[in-house]
Amino acid sequence: GESVGLHLPTLSVQEGDNSIINCAYSNSASDYFIWYKQESGKGPQFIIDIRSNMDKRQGQRVTVLLNKTVKHLSLQIAATQPGDSAVYFCAEGAGNNRKLIWGLGTSLAVNP
Amino acid sequence: DGGITQSPKYLFRKEGQNVTLSCEQNLNHDAMYWYRQDPGQGLRLIYYSQIVNDFQKGDIAEGYSVSREKKESFPLTVTSAQKNPTAFYLCASSHGGGVEQFFGPGTRLTVL
């Protein structure tokens, strides 16, 4: 049968606030995790990745936290800007397997 | 500029016709991927190729075919056997040993 469209989880924040986007991953054997940003009508863009031997990694205005105990990943965006409005996906991979397992995505809306 | 190109950006076809989507990369990446994205949903893997002249089915390969005759090219054919082909198609590539996948701008296929 045809697939049914799902409503993406949506996070709405005020410009300048910090944003936290959460992701529960599925495979306890996954040893790397990636966050992507997808703007409307475009392909996903890499934001940041983290290996399973780390629990935190920081980039420019972004921080990724990994909690392997509960299989949880989060992306923190500091001082959120209107240009951060997009859908954010987490993806997980294991070893040399090139296939990524993708989350469903979270829509971030930044209010001016 | 290095990158991944997909053409065309928008494609319209009549039901029952096969259609081929182009994907080219000049990043010298070994691996290439095709994903399908439906509105409000995540990415689903159709096919991937880790080296020239070799490719594997992803999670939703039925009704699609690919070829990898050259390292830089990975065309996807949507056949008439694909029951619901209208979607946004994304091509990606990654280099050997790397986890990050680089995405093209996508092709939006509409079957009338």
Side-chain angles (χ1 to χ4, degrees):
Chain A
E2 293 194 359
S3 62
V4 177
L6 301 174
H7 292 289
L8 284 173
T10 299
L11 176 65
S12 185
V13 300
Q14 289 298 123
E15 182 178 356
D17 286 353
N18 296 335
S19 302
I20 300 176
I21 301 171
N22 296 304
C23 177
Y25 65 90
S26 57
N27 185 1
S28 56
S30 291
D31 58 8
Y32 60 88
F33 306 87
I34 310 175
W35 280 101
Y36 282 89
K37 172 186 179 184
Q38 185 179 27
E39 297 176 355
S40 181
K42 297 183 179 180
Q45 290 177 285
F46 173 89
I47 302 173
I48 191 169
D49 63 352
I50 188 168
R51 298 281 179 169
S52 59
N53 60 354
M54 305 170 68
D55 52 22
K56 180 179 180 178
R57 190 171 186 210
Q58 289 185 291
Q60 188 176 12
R61 279 202 310 120
V62 295
T63 300
V64 56
L65 299 178
L66 175 62
N67 185 331
K68 294 181 287 293
T69 302
V70 294
K71 294 194 288 186
H72 183 267
L73 193 65
S74 70
L75 177 71
Q76 301 179 2
I77 304 173
T80 312
Q81 302 168 0
D84 295 326
S85 295
V87 176
Y88 290 80
F89 291 97
C90 64
E92 58 183 298
N96 292 324
N97 189 345
R98 300 294 188 91
K99 290 176 61 176
L100 294 176
I101 302 172
W102 291 80
L104 291 178
T106 296
S107 178
L108 175 65
V110 181
N111 304 312
Chain B
D1 287 337
I4 302 176
T5 57
Q6 291 185 244
S7 60
K9 188 170 178 63
Y10 299 96
L11 189 56
F12 297 88
R13 279 295 182 270
K14 292 183 179 179
E15 192 172 345
Q17 291 181 334
N18 291 356
V19 59
T20 298
L21 281 59
S22 167
C23 177
E24 303 279 331
Q25 54 99 359
N26 61 6
L27 301 167
N28 200 32
H29 286 173
D30 296 308
M32 297 186 74
Y33 312 80
W34 273 106
Y35 291 93
R36 170 184 172 135
Q37 188 175 33
D38 292 285
Q41 298 192 35
L43 280 65
R44 293 187 288 169
L45 183 65
I46 305 172
Y47 270 97
Y48 65 107
S49 167
Q50 299 198 52
I51 55 172
V52 175
N53 292 322
D54 186 52
F55 47 83
Q56 288 81 40
K57 293 182 179 180
D59 301 317
I60 56 165
E62 185 177 351
Y64 299 98
S65 66
V66 293
S67 63
R68 187 84 188 279
E69 297 176 1
K70 297 185 295 182
K71 188 175 186 178
E72 58 270 25
S73 179
F74 192 39
L76 173 75
T77 297
V78 183
T79 76
S80 56
Q82 168 50 234
K83 295 178 182 177
N84 186 18
T86 294
F88 189 47
Y89 290 87
L90 288 158
C91 179
S93 68
S94 65
H95 66 79
V99 304
E100 180 186 351
Q101 293 182 14
F102 295 78
F103 283 84
T107 292
R108 189 168 298 279
L109 173 65
T110 302
V111 175
L112 307 171

